[in-house]
mmCIF file of all heavy atoms in Angstrom:
data_model
loop_
_atom_site.group_PDB
_atom_site.id
_atom_site.type_symbol
_atom_site.label_atom_id
_atom_site.label_comp_id
_atom_site.label_asym_id
_atom_site.label_seq_id
_atom_site.Cartn_x
_atom_site.Cartn_y
_atom_site.Cartn_z
ATOM 1 N N GLU O 270 -7.689 5.330 7.478
ATOM 2 C CA GLU O 270 -7.654 6.754 7.176
ATOM 3 C C GLU O 270 -6.518 6.997 6.201
ATOM 4 O O GLU O 270 -5.407 6.575 6.418
ATOM 5 C CB GLU O 270 -7.407 7.562 8.452
ATOM 6 C CG GLU O 270 -8.639 7.632 9.354
ATOM 7 C CD GLU O 270 -8.289 8.110 10.726
ATOM 8 O OE1 GLU O 270 -7.574 9.114 10.824
ATOM 9 O OE2 GLU O 270 -8.778 7.491 11.683
ATOM 10 N N PRO O 271 -6.817 7.659 5.121
ATOM 11 C CA PRO O 271 -5.757 7.912 4.172
ATOM 12 C C PRO O 271 -4.685 8.799 4.822
ATOM 13 O O PRO O 271 -5.021 9.719 5.545
ATOM 14 C CB PRO O 271 -6.433 8.676 3.054
ATOM 15 C CG PRO O 271 -7.688 9.196 3.638
ATOM 16 C CD PRO O 271 -8.075 8.282 4.745
ATOM 17 N N VAL O 272 -3.475 8.456 4.631
ATOM 18 C CA VAL O 272 -2.395 9.300 5.113
ATOM 19 C C VAL O 272 -2.541 10.617 4.366
ATOM 20 O O VAL O 272 -2.838 10.629 3.163
ATOM 21 C CB VAL O 272 -1.018 8.646 4.798
ATOM 22 C CG1 VAL O 272 0.100 9.530 5.293
ATOM 23 C CG2 VAL O 272 -0.968 7.287 5.440
ATOM 24 N N SER O 273 -2.411 11.699 5.115
ATOM 25 C CA SER O 273 -2.600 13.037 4.548
ATOM 26 C C SER O 273 -2.114 13.124 3.120
ATOM 27 O O SER O 273 -0.987 12.790 2.803
ATOM 28 C CB SER O 273 -1.863 14.069 5.416
ATOM 29 O OG SER O 273 -2.028 15.339 4.854
ATOM 30 N N THR O 274 -3.040 13.557 2.239
ATOM 31 C CA THR O 274 -2.666 13.629 0.835
ATOM 32 C C THR O 274 -1.862 14.864 0.527
ATOM 33 O O THR O 274 -1.185 14.953 -0.490
ATOM 34 C CB THR O 274 -3.919 13.619 -0.074
ATOM 35 O OG1 THR O 274 -4.820 14.575 0.448
ATOM 36 C CG2 THR O 274 -4.554 12.242 -0.102
ATOM 37 N N GLN O 275 -1.972 15.850 1.430
ATOM 38 C CA GLN O 275 -1.196 17.042 1.220
ATOM 39 C C GLN O 275 0.103 16.956 1.969
ATOM 40 O O GLN O 275 0.163 16.459 3.085
ATOM 41 C CB GLN O 275 -1.973 18.268 1.694
ATOM 42 C CG GLN O 275 -2.561 19.057 0.540
ATOM 43 C CD GLN O 275 -3.428 20.150 1.051
ATOM 44 O OE1 GLN O 275 -4.224 19.972 1.977
ATOM 45 N NE2 GLN O 275 -3.340 21.309 0.426
ATOM 46 N N ALA O 276 1.164 17.429 1.338
ATOM 47 C CA ALA O 276 2.488 17.305 1.952
ATOM 48 C C ALA O 276 2.791 18.467 2.878
ATOM 49 O O ALA O 276 3.638 18.386 3.762
ATOM 50 C CB ALA O 276 3.558 17.200 0.884
ATOM 51 N N THR O 277 2.047 19.584 2.687
ATOM 52 C CA THR O 277 2.323 20.748 3.524
ATOM 53 C C THR O 277 1.016 21.432 3.923
ATOM 54 O O THR O 277 -0.002 21.330 3.246
ATOM 55 C CB THR O 277 3.160 21.803 2.795
ATOM 56 O OG1 THR O 277 2.482 22.170 1.602
ATOM 57 C CG2 THR O 277 4.569 21.287 2.468
ATOM 58 N N PHE O 278 1.109 22.151 5.036
ATOM 59 C CA PHE O 278 0.025 23.059 5.429
ATOM 60 C C PHE O 278 0.627 24.452 5.281
ATOM 61 O O PHE O 278 1.762 24.698 5.670
ATOM 62 C CB PHE O 278 -0.362 22.806 6.892
ATOM 63 C CG PHE O 278 -1.298 23.835 7.434
ATOM 64 C CD1 PHE O 278 -2.666 23.693 7.281
ATOM 65 C CD2 PHE O 278 -0.809 24.948 8.128
ATOM 66 C CE1 PHE O 278 -3.537 24.665 7.777
ATOM 67 C CE2 PHE O 278 -1.678 25.919 8.626
ATOM 68 C CZ PHE O 278 -3.030 25.769 8.462
ATOM 69 N N ASP O 279 -0.156 25.361 4.729
ATOM 70 C CA ASP O 279 0.387 26.697 4.475
ATOM 71 C C ASP O 279 -0.733 27.685 4.669
ATOM 72 O O ASP O 279 -1.678 27.716 3.880
ATOM 73 C CB ASP O 279 0.901 26.759 3.037
ATOM 74 C CG ASP O 279 2.212 27.535 2.966
ATOM 75 O OD1 ASP O 279 2.388 28.449 3.760
ATOM 76 O OD2 ASP O 279 3.040 27.172 2.121
ATOM 77 N N SER O 280 -0.686 28.483 5.713
ATOM 78 C CA SER O 280 -1.739 29.466 5.939
ATOM 79 C C SER O 280 -1.279 30.534 6.890
ATOM 80 O O SER O 280 -0.715 30.251 7.943
ATOM 81 C CB SER O 280 -2.981 28.758 6.478
ATOM 82 O OG SER O 280 -3.955 29.715 6.838
ATOM 83 N N LYS O 281 -1.541 31.776 6.534
ATOM 84 C CA LYS O 281 -1.250 32.951 7.416
ATOM 85 C C LYS O 281 0.215 32.941 7.887
ATOM 86 O O LYS O 281 0.471 33.304 9.031
ATOM 87 C CB LYS O 281 -2.184 32.941 8.613
ATOM 88 C CG LYS O 281 -3.637 33.148 8.248
ATOM 89 C CD LYS O 281 -4.550 32.963 9.426
ATOM 90 C CE LYS O 281 -4.525 34.175 10.378
ATOM 91 N NZ LYS O 281 -5.435 33.984 11.502
ATOM 92 N N GLY O 282 1.110 32.523 7.046
ATOM 93 C CA GLY O 282 2.527 32.572 7.411
ATOM 94 C C GLY O 282 2.983 31.340 8.189
ATOM 95 O O GLY O 282 4.162 31.160 8.450
ATOM 96 N N LEU O 283 2.033 30.501 8.575
ATOM 97 C CA LEU O 283 2.409 29.256 9.246
ATOM 98 C C LEU O 283 2.509 28.151 8.183
ATOM 99 O O LEU O 283 1.599 27.926 7.409
ATOM 100 C CB LEU O 283 1.339 28.837 10.261
ATOM 101 C CG LEU O 283 1.502 27.489 10.943
ATOM 102 C CD1 LEU O 283 2.764 27.452 11.831
ATOM 103 C CD2 LEU O 283 0.280 27.136 11.778
ATOM 104 N N ARG O 284 3.709 27.507 8.161
ATOM 105 C CA ARG O 284 3.923 26.446 7.169
ATOM 106 C C ARG O 284 4.402 25.200 7.890
ATOM 107 O O ARG O 284 5.288 25.263 8.740
ATOM 108 C CB ARG O 284 4.962 26.891 6.149
ATOM 109 C CG ARG O 284 5.155 25.921 5.015
ATOM 110 C CD ARG O 284 6.033 26.517 3.908
ATOM 111 N NE ARG O 284 5.866 25.737 2.693
ATOM 112 C CZ ARG O 284 6.527 24.608 2.474
ATOM 113 N NH1 ARG O 284 7.347 24.102 3.370
ATOM 114 N NH2 ARG O 284 6.317 23.943 1.345
ATOM 115 N N ILE O 285 3.776 24.051 7.547
ATOM 116 C CA ILE O 285 4.211 22.781 8.145
ATOM 117 C C ILE O 285 4.526 21.823 7.021
ATOM 118 O O ILE O 285 3.683 21.589 6.138
ATOM 119 C CB ILE O 285 3.124 22.178 9.057
ATOM 120 C CG1 ILE O 285 2.694 23.189 10.131
ATOM 121 C CG2 ILE O 285 3.620 20.891 9.707
ATOM 122 C CD1 ILE O 285 1.557 22.698 11.002
ATOM 123 N N ASP O 286 5.694 21.315 7.022
ATOM 124 C CA ASP O 286 6.112 20.272 6.072
ATOM 125 C C ASP O 286 5.941 18.936 6.802
ATOM 126 O O ASP O 286 6.696 18.607 7.709
ATOM 127 C CB ASP O 286 7.584 20.500 5.685
ATOM 128 C CG ASP O 286 8.074 19.451 4.715
ATOM 129 O OD1 ASP O 286 7.582 18.290 4.764
ATOM 130 O OD2 ASP O 286 8.948 19.756 3.897
ATOM 131 N N TYR O 287 4.883 18.192 6.416
ATOM 132 C CA TYR O 287 4.523 16.988 7.178
ATOM 133 C C TYR O 287 5.607 15.903 7.121
ATOM 134 O O TYR O 287 5.886 15.229 8.086
ATOM 135 C CB TYR O 287 3.210 16.420 6.666
ATOM 136 C CG TYR O 287 2.016 17.331 6.870
ATOM 137 C CD1 TYR O 287 1.027 17.430 5.894
ATOM 138 C CD2 TYR O 287 1.900 18.049 8.027
ATOM 139 C CE1 TYR O 287 -0.049 18.267 6.076
ATOM 140 C CE2 TYR O 287 0.802 18.914 8.210
ATOM 141 C CZ TYR O 287 -0.167 19.001 7.235
ATOM 142 O OH TYR O 287 -1.236 19.819 7.438
ATOM 143 N N ALA O 288 6.189 15.747 5.948
ATOM 144 C CA ALA O 288 7.193 14.673 5.804
ATOM 145 C C ALA O 288 8.418 14.980 6.643
ATOM 146 O O ALA O 288 8.959 14.104 7.335
ATOM 147 C CB ALA O 288 7.568 14.498 4.355
ATOM 148 N N ALA O 289 8.865 16.219 6.601
ATOM 149 C CA ALA O 289 10.076 16.594 7.343
ATOM 150 C C ALA O 289 9.747 16.948 8.806
ATOM 151 O O ALA O 289 10.660 17.148 9.586
ATOM 152 C CB ALA O 289 10.757 17.769 6.657
ATOM 153 N N ARG O 290 8.463 17.029 9.137
ATOM 154 C CA ARG O 290 8.024 17.506 10.453
ATOM 155 C C ARG O 290 8.661 18.848 10.778
ATOM 156 O O ARG O 290 9.160 19.053 11.884
ATOM 157 C CB ARG O 290 8.330 16.456 11.519
ATOM 158 C CG ARG O 290 7.608 15.173 11.358
ATOM 159 C CD ARG O 290 8.058 14.132 12.367
ATOM 160 N NE ARG O 290 7.489 14.338 13.674
ATOM 161 C CZ ARG O 290 6.413 13.724 14.170
ATOM 162 N NH1 ARG O 290 5.769 12.880 13.449
ATOM 163 N NH2 ARG O 290 5.967 14.000 15.380
ATOM 164 N N GLU O 291 8.644 19.737 9.786
ATOM 165 C CA GLU O 291 9.300 21.009 9.929
ATOM 166 C C GLU O 291 8.265 22.129 9.928
ATOM 167 O O GLU O 291 7.398 22.158 9.073
ATOM 168 C CB GLU O 291 10.277 21.180 8.783
ATOM 169 C CG GLU O 291 11.280 22.312 8.976
ATOM 170 C CD GLU O 291 12.243 22.352 7.797
ATOM 171 O OE1 GLU O 291 11.882 22.919 6.758
ATOM 172 O OE2 GLU O 291 13.322 21.784 7.914
ATOM 173 N N VAL O 292 8.366 22.992 10.924
ATOM 174 C CA VAL O 292 7.394 24.080 11.064
ATOM 175 C C VAL O 292 8.109 25.399 10.882
ATOM 176 O O VAL O 292 9.209 25.600 11.428
ATOM 177 C CB VAL O 292 6.745 24.016 12.464
ATOM 178 C CG1 VAL O 292 5.800 25.175 12.666
ATOM 179 C CG2 VAL O 292 6.013 22.681 12.655
ATOM 180 N N SER O 293 7.526 26.322 10.140
ATOM 181 C CA SER O 293 8.117 27.625 10.066
ATOM 182 C C SER O 293 7.018 28.695 10.122
ATOM 183 O O SER O 293 5.850 28.449 9.792
ATOM 184 C CB SER O 293 8.939 27.780 8.764
ATOM 185 O OG SER O 293 8.120 27.548 7.658
ATOM 186 N N VAL O 294 7.444 29.882 10.614
ATOM 187 C CA VAL O 294 6.536 31.005 10.704
ATOM 188 C C VAL O 294 7.193 32.161 9.941
ATOM 189 O O VAL O 294 8.327 32.528 10.252
ATOM 190 C CB VAL O 294 6.262 31.412 12.150
ATOM 191 C CG1 VAL O 294 5.421 32.692 12.217
ATOM 192 C CG2 VAL O 294 5.540 30.320 12.900
ATOM 193 N N ASP O 295 6.485 32.684 8.961
ATOM 194 C CA ASP O 295 7.011 33.768 8.111
ATOM 195 C C ASP O 295 8.398 33.418 7.584
ATOM 196 O O ASP O 295 9.288 34.284 7.557
ATOM 197 C CB ASP O 295 7.049 35.101 8.893
ATOM 198 C CG ASP O 295 5.648 35.503 9.378
ATOM 199 O OD1 ASP O 295 4.680 35.148 8.679
ATOM 200 O OD2 ASP O 295 5.574 36.096 10.448
ATOM 201 N N GLY O 296 8.580 32.180 7.197
ATOM 202 C CA GLY O 296 9.840 31.761 6.592
ATOM 203 C C GLY O 296 10.940 31.374 7.580
ATOM 204 O O GLY O 296 12.001 30.900 7.155
ATOM 205 N N HIS O 297 10.689 31.566 8.866
ATOM 206 C CA HIS O 297 11.708 31.196 9.856
ATOM 207 C C HIS O 297 11.350 29.838 10.496
ATOM 208 O O HIS O 297 10.250 29.688 10.992
ATOM 209 C CB HIS O 297 11.838 32.271 10.943
ATOM 210 C CG HIS O 297 12.221 33.589 10.422
ATOM 211 N ND1 HIS O 297 13.497 33.897 10.015
ATOM 212 C CD2 HIS O 297 11.457 34.697 10.216
ATOM 213 C CE1 HIS O 297 13.537 35.140 9.561
ATOM 214 N NE2 HIS O 297 12.285 35.661 9.668
ATOM 215 N N ILE O 298 12.311 28.944 10.485
ATOM 216 C CA ILE O 298 12.037 27.625 11.030
ATOM 217 C C ILE O 298 11.928 27.691 12.539
ATOM 218 O O ILE O 298 12.671 28.398 13.231
ATOM 219 C CB ILE O 298 13.181 26.634 10.655
ATOM 220 C CG1 ILE O 298 13.022 26.324 9.144
ATOM 221 C CG2 ILE O 298 13.098 25.352 11.481
ATOM 222 C CD1 ILE O 298 13.979 25.291 8.618
ATOM 223 N N VAL O 299 10.893 27.012 13.070
ATOM 224 C CA VAL O 299 10.656 26.973 14.519
ATOM 225 C C VAL O 299 10.882 25.532 14.954
ATOM 226 O O VAL O 299 10.348 24.599 14.416
ATOM 227 C CB VAL O 299 9.162 27.355 14.791
ATOM 228 C CG1 VAL O 299 8.881 27.288 16.271
ATOM 229 C CG2 VAL O 299 8.877 28.752 14.244
ATOM 230 N N HIS O 300 11.728 25.379 15.978
ATOM 231 C CA HIS O 300 12.014 24.021 16.455
ATOM 232 C C HIS O 300 11.039 23.635 17.531
ATOM 233 O O HIS O 300 11.017 24.249 18.605
ATOM 234 C CB HIS O 300 13.472 23.936 16.953
ATOM 235 C CG HIS O 300 14.453 24.146 15.850
ATOM 236 N ND1 HIS O 300 14.720 23.160 14.889
ATOM 237 C CD2 HIS O 300 15.193 25.214 15.494
ATOM 238 C CE1 HIS O 300 15.597 23.647 14.043
ATOM 239 N NE2 HIS O 300 15.901 24.885 14.370
ATOM 240 N N LEU O 301 10.242 22.630 17.268
ATOM 241 C CA LEU O 301 9.229 22.206 18.221
ATOM 242 C C LEU O 301 9.605 20.877 18.854
ATOM 243 O O LEU O 301 10.222 20.040 18.209
ATOM 244 C CB LEU O 301 7.876 22.058 17.517
ATOM 245 C CG LEU O 301 7.268 23.296 16.864
ATOM 246 C CD1 LEU O 301 5.893 22.970 16.299
ATOM 247 C CD2 LEU O 301 7.156 24.458 17.840
ATOM 248 N N THR O 302 9.167 20.656 20.102
ATOM 249 C CA THR O 302 9.308 19.344 20.693
ATOM 250 C C THR O 302 8.264 18.431 20.047
ATOM 251 O O THR O 302 7.366 18.910 19.348
ATOM 252 C CB THR O 302 9.041 19.389 22.202
ATOM 253 O OG1 THR O 302 7.658 19.788 22.403
ATOM 254 C CG2 THR O 302 9.951 20.388 22.914
ATOM 255 N N LYS O 303 8.368 17.124 20.354
ATOM 256 C CA LYS O 303 7.423 16.165 19.767
ATOM 257 C C LYS O 303 5.998 16.505 20.136
ATOM 258 O O LYS O 303 5.108 16.522 19.294
ATOM 259 C CB LYS O 303 7.791 14.762 20.289
ATOM 260 C CG LYS O 303 7.013 13.624 19.666
ATOM 261 C CD LYS O 303 7.724 12.302 19.966
ATOM 262 C CE LYS O 303 6.953 11.108 19.445
ATOM 263 N NZ LYS O 303 5.808 10.743 20.312
ATOM 264 N N LYS O 304 5.767 16.823 21.411
ATOM 265 C CA LYS O 304 4.400 17.122 21.831
ATOM 266 C C LYS O 304 3.916 18.437 21.241
ATOM 267 O O LYS O 304 2.746 18.564 20.873
ATOM 268 C CB LYS O 304 4.343 17.167 23.381
ATOM 269 C CG LYS O 304 4.359 15.774 23.977
ATOM 270 C CD LYS O 304 3.933 15.810 25.434
ATOM 271 C CE LYS O 304 3.573 14.451 25.970
ATOM 272 N NZ LYS O 304 4.529 13.373 25.651
ATOM 273 N N GLU O 305 4.761 19.441 21.153
ATOM 274 C CA GLU O 305 4.342 20.705 20.560
ATOM 275 C C GLU O 305 3.958 20.451 19.093
ATOM 276 O O GLU O 305 2.965 21.002 18.603
ATOM 277 C CB GLU O 305 5.501 21.729 20.594
ATOM 278 C CG GLU O 305 5.797 22.247 22.005
ATOM 279 C CD GLU O 305 7.176 22.895 22.129
ATOM 280 O OE1 GLU O 305 7.940 22.943 21.141
ATOM 281 O OE2 GLU O 305 7.474 23.363 23.254
ATOM 282 N N TYR O 306 4.731 19.626 18.414
ATOM 283 C CA TYR O 306 4.433 19.339 17.003
ATOM 284 C C TYR O 306 3.078 18.580 16.921
ATOM 285 O O TYR O 306 2.235 18.898 16.067
ATOM 286 C CB TYR O 306 5.543 18.509 16.363
ATOM 287 C CG TYR O 306 5.261 18.175 14.922
ATOM 288 C CD1 TYR O 306 5.516 19.126 13.918
ATOM 289 C CD2 TYR O 306 4.763 16.946 14.540
ATOM 290 C CE1 TYR O 306 5.231 18.876 12.595
ATOM 291 C CE2 TYR O 306 4.481 16.650 13.192
ATOM 292 C CZ TYR O 306 4.715 17.624 12.237
ATOM 293 O OH TYR O 306 4.432 17.341 10.930
ATOM 294 N N GLU O 307 2.889 17.612 17.775
ATOM 295 C CA GLU O 307 1.609 16.862 17.756
ATOM 296 C C GLU O 307 0.412 17.780 17.982
ATOM 297 O O GLU O 307 -0.632 17.631 17.351
ATOM 298 C CB GLU O 307 1.642 15.738 18.785
ATOM 299 C CG GLU O 307 2.489 14.573 18.326
ATOM 300 C CD GLU O 307 2.582 13.462 19.376
ATOM 301 O OE1 GLU O 307 1.794 13.456 20.345
ATOM 302 O OE2 GLU O 307 3.477 12.615 19.215
ATOM 303 N N LEU O 308 0.610 18.722 18.893
ATOM 304 C CA LEU O 308 -0.488 19.660 19.176
ATOM 305 C C LEU O 308 -0.811 20.518 17.962
ATOM 306 O O LEU O 308 -2.008 20.661 17.583
ATOM 307 C CB LEU O 308 -0.124 20.535 20.388
ATOM 308 C CG LEU O 308 -1.088 21.653 20.720
ATOM 309 C CD1 LEU O 308 -2.455 21.117 21.019
ATOM 310 C CD2 LEU O 308 -0.583 22.445 21.923
ATOM 311 N N ILE O 309 0.193 21.062 17.320
ATOM 312 C CA ILE O 309 -0.113 21.936 16.174
ATOM 313 C C ILE O 309 -0.699 21.111 15.038
ATOM 314 O O ILE O 309 -1.637 21.539 14.325
ATOM 315 C CB ILE O 309 1.100 22.786 15.717
ATOM 316 C CG1 ILE O 309 0.697 23.894 14.740
ATOM 317 C CG2 ILE O 309 2.193 21.945 15.080
ATOM 318 C CD1 ILE O 309 -0.165 24.967 15.342
ATOM 319 N N ARG O 310 -0.242 19.865 14.898
ATOM 320 C CA ARG O 310 -0.825 18.987 13.873
ATOM 321 C C ARG O 310 -2.316 18.727 14.128
ATOM 322 O O ARG O 310 -3.136 18.742 13.219
ATOM 323 C CB ARG O 310 -0.113 17.619 13.806
ATOM 324 C CG ARG O 310 1.102 17.519 12.918
ATOM 325 C CD ARG O 310 0.836 17.807 11.444
ATOM 326 N NE ARG O 310 -0.259 17.080 10.820
ATOM 327 C CZ ARG O 310 -0.125 16.080 10.011
ATOM 328 N NH1 ARG O 310 1.042 15.589 9.694
ATOM 329 N NH2 ARG O 310 -1.191 15.539 9.430
ATOM 330 N N LEU O 311 -2.636 18.461 15.377
ATOM 331 C CA LEU O 311 -4.068 18.203 15.729
ATOM 332 C C LEU O 311 -4.930 19.406 15.349
ATOM 333 O O LEU O 311 -5.991 19.258 14.769
ATOM 334 C CB LEU O 311 -4.218 17.952 17.248
ATOM 335 C CG LEU O 311 -3.865 16.592 17.796
ATOM 336 C CD1 LEU O 311 -4.072 16.592 19.292
ATOM 337 C CD2 LEU O 311 -4.709 15.531 17.133
ATOM 338 N N LEU O 312 -4.443 20.604 15.693
ATOM 339 C CA LEU O 312 -5.208 21.814 15.406
ATOM 340 C C LEU O 312 -5.332 22.046 13.931
ATOM 341 O O LEU O 312 -6.408 22.406 13.414
ATOM 342 C CB LEU O 312 -4.564 22.996 16.119
ATOM 343 C CG LEU O 312 -4.655 22.978 17.651
ATOM 344 C CD1 LEU O 312 -3.689 23.996 18.253
ATOM 345 C CD2 LEU O 312 -6.070 23.216 18.118
ATOM 346 N N VAL O 313 -4.262 21.818 13.189
ATOM 347 C CA VAL O 313 -4.230 22.052 11.768
ATOM 348 C C VAL O 313 -5.085 21.042 11.029
ATOM 349 O O VAL O 313 -5.705 21.361 10.009
ATOM 350 C CB VAL O 313 -2.757 22.015 11.315
ATOM 351 C CG1 VAL O 313 -2.642 21.729 9.842
ATOM 352 C CG2 VAL O 313 -2.055 23.338 11.651
ATOM 353 N N ASP O 314 -5.129 19.824 11.577
ATOM 354 C CA ASP O 314 -5.923 18.767 10.932
ATOM 355 C C ASP O 314 -7.440 18.986 11.104
ATOM 356 O O ASP O 314 -8.225 18.331 10.448
ATOM 357 C CB ASP O 314 -5.532 17.379 11.470
ATOM 358 C CG ASP O 314 -4.200 16.933 10.913
ATOM 359 O OD1 ASP O 314 -3.719 17.553 9.931
ATOM 360 O OD2 ASP O 314 -3.634 15.938 11.428
ATOM 361 N N ALA O 315 -7.786 19.846 12.039
ATOM 362 C CA ALA O 315 -9.220 20.114 12.253
ATOM 363 C C ALA O 315 -9.430 21.615 12.188
ATOM 364 O O ALA O 315 -9.793 22.249 13.160
ATOM 365 C CB ALA O 315 -9.636 19.575 13.634
ATOM 366 N N PRO O 316 -9.229 22.221 11.031
ATOM 367 C CA PRO O 316 -9.224 23.690 10.954
ATOM 368 C C PRO O 316 -10.557 24.275 11.397
ATOM 369 O O PRO O 316 -11.635 23.867 10.943
ATOM 370 C CB PRO O 316 -8.952 23.973 9.479
ATOM 371 C CG PRO O 316 -9.258 22.680 8.751
ATOM 372 C CD PRO O 316 -9.054 21.589 9.727
ATOM 373 N N GLY O 317 -10.470 25.174 12.342
ATOM 374 C CA GLY O 317 -11.675 25.890 12.797
ATOM 375 C C GLY O 317 -12.509 25.118 13.801
ATOM 376 O O GLY O 317 -13.376 25.636 14.439
ATOM 377 N N GLN O 318 -12.228 23.837 13.944
ATOM 378 C CA GLN O 318 -13.023 22.985 14.848
ATOM 379 C C GLN O 318 -12.433 23.113 16.272
ATOM 380 O O GLN O 318 -11.229 23.127 16.439
ATOM 381 C CB GLN O 318 -12.862 21.566 14.344
ATOM 382 C CG GLN O 318 -13.798 20.562 14.973
ATOM 383 C CD GLN O 318 -13.479 19.161 14.469
ATOM 384 O OE1 GLN O 318 -13.203 18.948 13.285
ATOM 385 N NE2 GLN O 318 -13.467 18.205 15.374
ATOM 386 N N VAL O 319 -13.325 23.195 17.236
ATOM 387 C CA VAL O 319 -12.857 23.271 18.609
ATOM 388 C C VAL O 319 -12.427 21.852 19.069
ATOM 389 O O VAL O 319 -13.212 20.927 18.965
ATOM 390 C CB VAL O 319 -13.929 23.793 19.556
ATOM 391 C CG1 VAL O 319 -13.418 23.822 20.984
ATOM 392 C CG2 VAL O 319 -14.405 25.155 19.134
#
Side-chain angles (χ1 to χ4, degrees):
E270 285 167 46
V272 179
S273 178
T274 48
Q275 256 174 318
T277 56
F278 171 88
D279 221 327
S280 173
K281 295 173 76 178
L283 174 65
R284 185 170 196 280
I285 305 176
D286 179 330
Y287 296 141
R290 296 175 77 96
E291 195 177 81
V292 176
S293 58
V294 175
D295 300 329
H297 300 285
I298 289 185
V299 178
H300 295 284
L301 299 184
T302 63
K303 186 164 176 280
K304 284 195 164 47
E305 289 162 358
Y306 181 80
E307 283 177 15
L308 174 59
I309 193 68
R310 272 300 310 254
L311 281 180
L312 292 166
V313 158
D314 285 347
Q318 192 185 317
V319 179

